[in-house]
Amino acid sequence: MSMKPIPRLAGLLAACSALALAASQGCSKKDQGPPQRPPMSVKTVPSVQMDVPIVIDTFGHTKDRMSINVVPQVSGKLIQTFIADGAVVTNGQPLFLIDPSDYAARVRQAEAAVAADQANLELSRLTLERNRPLLEKGMISTENFDTLKTRVEAAAAQLQADQAALEKANLDLSRCTIVATISGICSKRYLDDGNLVAAGQTLLTNIRNYDPMYVDFSMSEQYLPLIRQALAEGAVRIDITPRGDTNSYTGTLDFVDNAVDLQTGSILLRGLVPNPDLKLWAQQFADVRVQAGLVRDAVMTPESAVQLGKQGAYLFVIADDNKAELRPVKTGVRYNNLIQAEGLRPGERVAVLGQLMLYPGAVVADVSQSKP
């Protein structure tokens, strides 16, 4: 009897055992289901409920509140300058001096004319009074007496005219000293001493008043009802930050134009900003923030949490079981990197980091709650 088939049978049995083992392992893996995804790391911030100012951001430029060209009111030779280029001056401060010699002589001449007129008037009155008794006695005619009365009236009129001329001469003499009519900062001087100046024509310098400072800016007409309502309730605060300056300066809204620009759909506004330290300069570009009201009990969340989809704005709320919920929201006012989110409740955890990879129902690990 041959024994050769025995090794073949043993090999066949071993192969069957291996297949059975593999099949049993495969069934075990199917029973375990699909592999679980690890939790997604996110950072959350709780939403907060607060009163939020309605802020409108725009830009504009600073403007001096008042600008005066310094021009002489009398002609003559400029003999002295009392200020340096760019000087800070106060109202009434002397700036320039025009040679007063000619005008002083005119004053003396006018004074002499007034003195002569006073003497002539006094003589005319005495003559009139001396002839009054003669008229009563019929020793002079009424016509001659009327002539004496006319001389008194003419002398009085001449005195008034020369007194006015004296006032004009004194005024011209005082105008030889040119003074600042406003407080502010001077430009450069446009003329050196020794030059002749013409009344009402020669520009000597310019003075700009910088305290307070105007700020001109514009905004879309859609904000006009909001601005008008805020003005009706009281002063409207503005904050400006000049370009290149890290400081902000606070003022109030001072003016709203009476018409909307048809070409741009915007409206011109002006703010008034105190500037006692003269840190603001005219014609500076500045970012302008207008606080046009207050939203009460707004639910706010970081702007980075809000995403935009086909259905509008949404964000991810992390529930107590650390699962992500997609929550549609309606956005509102913005303030200090926060945004109003209607549809969100106060205190709910909102994903602000790692939210771009989230999906509804995703399990998350909130790293903001992990201990260091």
Side-chain angles (χ1 to χ4, degrees), residues 306-340:
V306 179
Q307 304 180 61
L308 290 177
K310 294 182 179 180
Q311 304 300 322
Y314 68 93
L315 45 73
F316 281 99
V317 176
I318 307 304
D320 292 338
D321 59 359
N322 284 335
K323 288 186 177 181
E325 173 195 346
L326 188 149
R327 180 79 59 82
V329 293
K330 180 180 179 181
T331 58
V333 295
R334 288 174 167 83
Y335 182 71
N336 285 350
N337 297 322
L338 299 177
I339 187 170
Q340 182 184 11

Side-chain angles (χ1 to χ4, degrees), residues 9-37:
L9 180 60
L12 183 59
L13 291 173
C16 290
S17 299
L19 289 173
L21 179 61
S24 64
Q25 290 178 349
C27 292
S28 176
K29 290 182 179 180
K30 288 182 180 180
D31 293 341
Q32 293 177 0
Q36 296 293 323
R37 295 185 181 182

Side-chain angles (χ1 to χ4, degrees), residues 94-106:
L95 306 176
F96 302 94
L97 178 63
I98 296 173
D99 187 357
S101 303
D102 182 52
Y103 296 98
R106 294 180 188 181

Side-chain angles (χ1 to χ4, degrees), residues 67-145:
S67 178
I68 299 295
N69 285 331
V70 178
V71 177
Q73 293 179 280
V74 294
S75 300
K77 182 180 179 181
L78 183 65
I79 62 173
Q80 191 172 0
T81 300
F82 301 112
I83 58 169
D85 292 343
V88 178
V89 298
T90 57
N91 190 5
Q93 178 178 336
L95 306 176
F96 302 94
L97 178 63
I98 296 173
D99 187 357
S101 303
D102 182 52
Y103 296 98
R106 294 180 188 181
V107 169
R108 293 192 296 271
Q109 184 179 14
E111 288 174 341
V114 168
D117 292 338
Q118 289 173 337
N120 185 41
L121 177 60
E122 182 64 22
L123 177 61
S124 298
R125 285 174 176 170
L126 289 174
T127 302
L128 179 65
E129 294 303 320
R130 287 172 183 163
N131 283 272
R132 191 178 299 277
L134 299 179
L135 175 65
E136 295 173 354
K137 295 178 180 180
M139 299 179 66
I140 61 170
S141 65
T142 303
E143 181 180 355
N144 288 338
F145 188 78

Side-chain angles (χ1 to χ4, degrees), residues 36-78:
Q36 296 293 323
R37 295 185 181 182
M40 303 178 68
S41 296
V42 297
K43 183 178 180 180
T44 65
V45 171
S47 60
V48 294
Q49 189 174 42
M50 57 190 294
D51 294 340
V52 182
I54 301 174
V55 174
I56 304 171
D57 289 318
T58 181
F59 61 90
H61 66 274
T62 57
K63 181 182 178 181
D64 50 89
R65 189 176 65 90
M66 191 179 299
S67 178
I68 299 295
N69 285 331
V70 178
V71 177
Q73 293 179 280
V74 294
S75 300
K77 182 180 179 181
L78 183 65

